[in-house]
């Protein structure tokens, strides 16, 4: 889980740099994807208007 938290923090910092004021975001809908970490991966969703990164599913292999 520590690897998931570390990677999620990186994704949050990247989203914050891209969307300086997320509450006023009028662009396209949420973006998401898969992030690979040691021992598995997780599915996430970035919602700038909520200023949140949601982790949808964590899979350990």
């Amino acid at each position: 889980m520590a690897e998931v938290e570390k990677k999620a923090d990186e994704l949050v910092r990247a989203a914050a740099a891209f969307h300086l004021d997320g509450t006023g975001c009028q662009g396209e809908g949420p973006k998401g994807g898969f992030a690979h970490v040691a021992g598995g991966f997780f599915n996430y969703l970035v919602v700038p208007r909520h200023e949140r990164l949601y982790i949808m599913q964590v899979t350990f292999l």
Side-chain angles (χ1 to χ4, degrees), residues 16 19-25 48 51:
H19 301 284
L20 296 178
D21 180 20
T23 58
C25 184
E51 295 185 331

Side-chain angles (χ1 to χ4, degrees), residues 26-50:
Q26 298 294 332
E28 296 180 20
K31 302 286 185 210
F34 291 92
H36 296 275
V37 295
F41 62 93
F42 65 94
N43 183 11
Y44 66 93
L45 182 66
V46 177
V47 183
R49 281 172 269 159
H50 295 176

